[in-house]
Amino acid sequence: MKAIVAHSAKDLRIEDHPDAEPAEGEVGLAVAAGGICGSDLHYYQHGGFGAVRLKQPMILGHEVSARVAKLGPGVTGLEVGQLVSVSPSRPCRTCRYCQQGLHNQCLNMRFYGSAMPFPHIQGAFRETLVADAVQCVPADGLGAGEAAMAEPLAVALHATRRAGDLLGKRVLVTGCGPIGMLSILAARRAGAGEIVAVDLMDFTLDIAKAAGADRVINSREEPEALSAYSADKGTFDVLYECSGAAAALTAGIGALRPRGVIVQLGLGGDMSLPMMAITAKELELRGSFRFHEEFAIGVDLMRKGLIDVKPLISHTIALPDAHAAFDLASDRGRAMKVQIAFDPSLSSSSLPV
Ligand SMILES: [Zn+2]
Ligand SMILES: [Zn+2]
């Protein structure tokens, strides 16, 4: 089978790897669609991010859907041919954080396509994959592309849980890539009363508007628009900071009302904070990292039609054009979520112009 392997910055290869057989409790999968995520792009463009560097070749990818091809011994509840969303989260289930239900904080996490540990954890951008049955969530009724959105949706749902009660609340989202966009959908589903989205690109803001944001602000073209929300100590109850940019966080904090909550999702490296405002307005800064049980919740919400991720999938590109897919995904002015079709029947065309 073919796999997409990052060797170092800008050295991406489509290589042959051996197929594997499912053992007890495992499932043999034919990968259908795989979404390119920000971390995949960092490995592709820069060979890593921060202190995390590629030290050996690594198969990329952690946002995939697949068809069940073969059941290992003892597997129940799945059928050959069934479409599943494959969770890339593989906590050990025995460390102290797993025991406390904090699976996303697992001390021995083996998350697909991650160079954080060494040896690196190989990813899921491959034609065939053997996964634990427990990673596979039935996605009957969804398209393969939608089913592959379960992972970033789970990230946004986990952040929404970190945000706390959203019923009737005023929400600000800074950074409208796929995670910002899914945060808009998740916040609205959780009952947010008003959602304002901020980005630098009209392309993404148009999609944010279509996804249900009440107002969108291009902070490059209207740098003062957000400041209006800072009057009387601020407006928003909750900030989803999805850009990882210090300027966005600072502007967002200015627009938060006293006792507001900041949920930080964007990973842009360490930054300095407006600590005076955080202290004086008694703001709460909450990190949000990955997910666990929210993965199956996300699949369920999509299957019930309560969250529609289809408008976010901007491109579906055939596996042989993977290089072009990665270049396109790096262009925030043209692409939202770019997916690779491992199942050749999925990519309608080859390359968009
Ligand atoms: Zn992702
Ligand atoms: Zn653990």
Side-chain angles (χ1 to χ4, degrees):
M1 57 103 176
K2 301 248 184 286
I4 301 176
V5 185
H7 285 253
S8 58
K10 297 284 186 185
D11 184 359
L12 190 72
R13 304 180 201 174
I14 300 176
E15 292 177 348
D16 276 310
H17 277 245
D19 292 290
E21 283 292 308
E24 176 104 31
E26 294 180 339
V27 182
L29 298 167
V31 175
I36 299 174
C37 184
S39 62
D40 299 313
L41 289 174
H42 276 288
Y43 292 123
Y44 171 62
Q45 299 284 3
H46 315 293
F49 44 91
V52 180
R53 313 305 307 178
L54 281 173
K55 299 188 190 78
Q56 63 183 160
M58 182 177 80
I59 302 177
L60 295 178
H62 59 266
E63 302 181 1
V64 301
S65 64
R67 296 256 169 214
V68 175
K70 193 170 184 184
L71 301 177
V75 173
T76 54
L78 294 170
E79 284 170 36
V80 171
Q82 190 170 29
L83 181 71
V84 293
S85 298
V86 186
S87 175
S89 174
R90 293 182 297 168
C92 73
R93 297 173 196 271
T94 57
C95 76
R96 61 179 156 137
Y97 298 115
C98 285
Q99 292 291 316
Q100 291 167 3
L102 300 175
H103 295 87
N104 63 324
Q105 300 291 349
C106 174
L107 294 171
N108 312 301
M109 174 63 83
R110 293 178 308 129
F111 199 94
Y112 282 158
S114 171
M116 282 182 193
F118 187 87
H120 302 336
I121 311 299
Q122 300 296 318
F125 281 175
R126 56 218 278 170
E127 290 175 307
T128 65
L129 173 70
V130 170
D132 297 334
V134 70
Q135 292 173 253
C136 301
V137 178
D140 307 70
L142 296 181
E146 288 176 276
M149 291 293 283
E151 195 270 347
L153 175 57
V155 170
L157 292 172
H158 184 73
T160 299
R161 177 170 269 168
R162 297 283 296 137
D165 179 24
L166 284 177
L167 190 64
K169 297 287 175 66
R170 303 180 82 172
V171 172
L172 177 65
V173 177
T174 50
C176 293
I179 293 297
M181 216 61 76
L182 290 161
S183 295
I184 293 170
L185 295 174
R188 173 86 339 125
R189 177 48 55 198
E194 182 186 358
I195 302 173
V196 175
V198 180
D199 198 272
L200 303 170
M201 297 275 187
D202 284 336
F203 171 80
T204 53
L205 289 170
D206 287 345
I207 303 175
K209 188 92 194 168
D214 298 289
R215 183 181 177 191
V216 297
I217 295 172
N218 185 320
S219 53
R220 185 174 283 151
E221 286 163 16
E222 307 176 77
E224 294 311 311
L226 198 53
S227 326
Y229 290 99
S230 302
D232 300 333
K233 293 194 176 185
T235 302
F236 297 101
D237 302 287
V238 174
L239 166 64
Y240 285 73
E241 206 303 290
C242 303
S243 74
L249 178 59
T250 299
I253 283 173
L256 275 178
R257 59 181 282 271
R259 301 260 168 116
V261 173
I262 303 152
V263 182
Q264 183 67 37
L265 285 124
L267 283 168
D270 292 342
M271 54 175 82
S272 58
L273 292 172
M275 204 48 86
M276 275 302 295
I278 290 175
T279 305
K281 291 208 280 187
E282 302 183 312
L283 302 179
E284 284 184 54
L285 175 56
R286 301 180 186 171
S288 186
F289 185 60
R290 293 179 178 165
F291 55 86
H292 188 65
E293 62 168 331
E294 295 88 354
F295 189 88
I297 294 171
V299 175
D300 195 45
L301 287 168
M302 290 191 286
R303 286 181 66 185
K304 288 179 171 148
L306 297 173
I307 283 188
D308 181 10
V309 300
K310 288 192 293 294
L312 309 191
I313 305 170
S314 60
H315 303 86
T316 305
I317 293 177
L319 173 58
D321 296 323
H323 286 93
F326 273 76
D327 287 332
L328 182 62
S330 308
D331 185 347
R332 294 202 62 230
R334 285 204 299 151
M336 181 52 67
K337 177 59 77 181
V338 177
Q339 293 185 333
I340 294 172
F342 292 87
D343 173 351
S345 70
L346 294 177
S347 53
S348 43
S349 63
S350 48
L351 267 185
V353 212

